Amino acid sequence: MSAEPIVPVPDAALLALRSPRFEMVPMRGLEEALDHLPPGATVPVTCSPTRGLDATLPVVTELVRRGHRPVPHLAARMVRDTAQLRGVVAELDRLGVRDVFVVAGDAATPAGPFEGAADLLRELHRIGHPFLEVGVTGYPESHSFIPDEATVSAMADKAPYATYLVSQICYDADTVVGWVRAVRDRGIMLPVHLGIPGVVDRTRLLRISTRIGLADSVRFLKRQTGVAVRAAAGYTPDHLVTELRPLFEDPALRVLGWHLFTFNEIARTEQWRQALLAGEGEG
């Protein structure tokens, strides 16, 4: 009797990498980057600190036209008032968007009455909305200019109005693991998508990480050599995928997916992802 061939079964982390979220930034060169997205991709679109939602909505429209699933960022500090919020919600509803990501936003001074993500989430809940999924950010490491107590408190305020969490970039896997367990210890059970960089030029990644207040991550990244960081090819997140894989194996932790911060380096990131999946299939 011939033996049945052994078909390797991908682990949960690799299964999740088959359909990650590809975060993009509305800036010059985005149109070309869109050509490299896989069919039917889920694509969070950030909110420009200078151009606000006016730059996000055309990208969302184009993603819908191309058959993707856009996830627009709604930046609380860039929303002028409830009337504008109602208008944005109506437009997203018209486009068929059912997943949004609510952030505080990088504006130094709020454009209206919403200081942070929790304020906007409460207002969305009050006025009603069509979104089936509402994501919010979690911070695995200490923020350079936001106290830990504030980020912990903010997550508790946001959780009742959200359906999932995305972790901010952190290059230290041990810190991410500790953060996920701490979130669960605090009784917050929202599903988690782990945020990791895509394949991005190292200098650019350091600059962005510094700008968004990830001081610990910048120090960690600067210490890395060899596999994780190659000056010529840029940063690749292989080490994070390897070291964070066990989180997907514990159902109690509810880690469900990967959120790739691509900074519009879709072609290189997608090439890396496909190579990783192909390599696992051969194993």
Side-chain angles (χ1 to χ4, degrees), residues 194-275:
L194 298 177
I196 61 175
V199 178
V200 182
D201 174 79
R202 184 189 180 215
T203 301
R204 186 181 182 205
L205 197 54
L206 284 169
R207 184 175 67 249
I208 293 170
S209 298
T210 300
R211 180 174 61 79
I212 61 179
L214 303 176
D216 289 346
S217 270
V218 170
R219 284 190 287 272
F220 186 88
L221 183 60
K222 285 180 176 177
R223 290 197 299 268
Q224 302 306 298
T225 58
V227 175
V229 177
R230 305 180 183 91
Y235 174 89
T236 62
D238 301 73
H239 73 110
L240 285 174
V241 171
T242 299
E243 295 169 27
L244 295 175
R245 282 167 81 159
L247 288 176
F248 286 82
E249 303 301 328
D250 184 347
L253 296 179
R254 306 197 71 198
V255 174
L256 300 185
W258 299 101
H259 182 109
L260 304 176
F261 292 91
T262 72
F263 304 106
N264 297 354
E265 296 276 8
I266 297 294
R268 296 166 69 187
T269 299
E270 181 58 0
Q271 185 179 31
W272 161 82
R273 186 181 74 94
Q274 293 293 346

Side-chain angles (χ1 to χ4, degrees), residues 80-132:
R80 291 189 304 274
D81 51 30
T82 298
Q84 185 192 22
L85 181 61
R86 287 184 187 276
V88 170
V89 169
E91 177 62 10
L92 295 178
D93 188 22
R94 186 187 68 79
L95 291 169
V97 171
R98 293 295 177 263
D99 187 348
V100 295
F101 195 73
V102 178
V103 299
D106 292 334
T109 304
F114 309 114
E115 288 276 349
D119 298 321
L120 195 70
L121 286 163
R122 281 190 286 267
E123 187 65 357
L124 273 173
H125 177 74
R126 189 186 71 80
I127 65 176
H129 63 75
F131 309 124
L132 302 176

Side-chain angles (χ1 to χ4, degrees), residues 33-51:
L34 292 178
D35 294 339
H36 299 284
L37 285 168
T42 299
V43 188
V45 183
T46 66
C47 193
S48 166
T50 55
R51 299 165 62 199

Side-chain angles (χ1 to χ4, degrees), residues 101-171:
F101 195 73
V102 178
V103 299
D106 292 334
T109 304
F114 309 114
E115 288 276 349
D119 298 321
L120 195 70
L121 286 163
R122 281 190 286 267
E123 187 65 357
L124 273 173
H125 177 74
R126 189 186 71 80
I127 65 176
H129 63 75
F131 309 124
L132 302 176
E133 300 286 350
V134 178
V136 294
T137 306
Y139 294 91
E141 68 173 61
S142 295
H143 196 284
S144 288
F145 39 88
I146 303 176
D148 286 348
E149 308 81 60
T151 59
V152 170
S153 173
M155 187 184 296
D157 291 341
K158 293 183 291 187
Y161 307 101
T163 61
Y164 66 92
L165 271 172
V166 173
S167 61
Q168 181 56 282
I169 289 176
C170 178
Y171 305 101

